[in-house]
Amino acid sequence: MKLGSLKHGRDGRLVVVSRDLARCVEATGIAPSLLIALEDWRRTEPLLRALADDLEHDRADGVMEFNPANAAAPLPRTWEFLDGSAYLPHVERVRAARGATVPESFYDDPLMYQATASGFMGPRDAVPVADESYGIDFESEVVVVTGDVPMGATVDEAAAAIRLVGLVNDVSLRNLIPGELAKGFGFLQSKPRSALSPVFVTPDELGGYWRDTVLHRPLLSTLNGEAFGHPDAGTDMQFNFARLVEHAARTRPLAAGTLVGSGTIANQDTGVGASCLAEKRMLEIIADGKPVTPFMRFGDSIRIEMLDDDGDSIFGAIEQVIEKYEH
């Protein structure tokens, strides 16, 4: 089952989307928004699945074209976005570029921070940034959406709580990060709003690509129309999503609709490219002592997408242009 939201108010209008991403039907008679559907999942899931089946078999009324340009983020806002860093090749390279090693604890204890969840950009929304000097970067990631998760949940309970899977562009302002981390209190201004893929899908929709709560497909990043990276999300993931959700819920319950991110997809094989500019710059520093690749500028574009074995888009593409923000 694939779910999305059309732009409408702050929380969008819930739609069920066809497997080929071409058509959709409003599901507001079941729940007005995806967040409300997730909060009442026991009731809404079977109804949404029935509507999805009707859509696939041409039995649904009110079918319309699904146009990502008219789509909001599937969850335009939610309670929490907790972003991990589960691909340690990314962490290792960032630290190696400044002559630091990775602490042993990083291999057993997930890295995670609390990102902004008050609003997500739609898949075709421009990324507003006030100043190019901030060091504008994209981060191509996988994200899951949970149901209610009790505090102290086990890994098995965390796995069972995963409701949906999607993609995220976790926008980062790299030149603001060092100053914030130096304060010893984490990210804030350096992590603005992120963008979500046109649809989120239920794990069963992914078939054999979803194994052990890991998504086993390459994630494609295209910068200004040129292929940038295609690391496999199922390779070199130190902590699967069940482990990340369990970590997030260790000292707090998670409300239905919580997003948990994988962190930037990265593989040990550097030949597959990268999922963010920072990593490419770090590899340049390691090789030549200085970065050559610039951060993004106004007018630059990024496309993030995952395809199945037939070359069809699974979640639809995030396609964004960097835009100067005028207050």
Side-chain angles (χ1 to χ4, degrees), residues 1 3 14 27-49 75 78-79 145-149 161 163-164 254-258:
M1 178 169 61
L3 302 174
L14 177 62
T28 51
I30 299 171
S33 69
L34 181 53
L35 183 57
I36 291 175
L38 287 161
E39 291 178 326
D40 194 14
W41 196 243
R42 186 186 296 265
R43 178 187 69 84
T44 61
E45 182 192 15
L47 297 175
L48 291 169
R49 286 189 180 277
L75 272 173
T78 191
W79 305 115
V145 186
T146 75
D148 289 313
V149 183
R163 301 285 182 255
L164 300 167
L254 306 181
T258 294

Side-chain angles (χ1 to χ4, degrees), residues 9 20 54 81 103 117 136 141 177 182 184 195 224 226 250 300 323:
D20 63 5
D54 286 345
F81 175 24
I136 308 162
E141 305 183 16
I177 289 176
N224 292 327
E226 296 186 3
R250 181 181 178 188
D300 284 350
E323 178 180 86

Side-chain angles (χ1 to χ4, degrees), residues 225-304:
E226 296 186 3
F228 185 85
H230 58 276
D232 194 301
T235 302
D236 299 319
M237 190 178 190
Q238 186 76 10
F239 307 102
N240 64 15
F241 276 107
R243 179 72 176 87
L244 293 175
V245 173
E246 180 230 20
H247 176 82
R250 181 181 178 188
T251 61
R252 69 176 91 176
L254 306 181
T258 294
L259 271 68
V260 178
S262 66
T264 307
I265 310 299
N267 294 165
Q268 291 290 355
D269 177 10
T270 58
V272 298
S275 296
C276 68
L277 287 164
E279 186 172 332
K280 185 172 183 180
R281 287 166 59 89
M282 293 307 132
L283 289 170
E284 292 167 349
I285 291 171
I286 293 167
D288 302 316
K290 64 178 181 179
V292 175
T293 301
F295 288 121
M296 298 181 79
R297 300 187 174 100
F298 299 137
D300 284 350
S301 64
I302 181 63
R303 178 184 175 99
I304 300 168

Side-chain angles (χ1 to χ4, degrees), residues 135-147:
I136 308 162
D137 200 357
F138 66 94
E139 290 191 59
S140 303
E141 305 183 16
V142 177
V143 67
V144 299
V145 186
T146 75

Side-chain angles (χ1 to χ4, degrees), residues 19-95:
R19 287 194 172 97
D20 63 5
L21 303 177
R23 299 166 298 130
C24 68
V25 60
E26 283 201 26
T28 51
I30 299 171
S33 69
L34 181 53
L35 183 57
I36 291 175
L38 287 161
E39 291 178 326
D40 194 14
W41 196 243
R42 186 186 296 265
R43 178 187 69 84
T44 61
E45 182 192 15
L47 297 175
L48 291 169
R49 286 189 180 277
L51 183 56
D53 188 64
D54 286 345
L55 177 60
E56 293 299 327
H57 293 91
D58 298 319
R59 297 191 299 261
D61 296 325
V63 177
M64 52 192 158
E65 176 190 7
F66 180 68
N67 183 351
N70 298 328
L75 272 173
R77 59 176 177 168
T78 191
W79 305 115
E80 288 191 282
F81 175 24
L82 307 171
D83 200 15
S85 190
Y87 294 88
L88 292 189
H90 173 74
V91 179
E92 290 165 353
R93 288 164 193 155
V94 169
R95 294 179 72 89

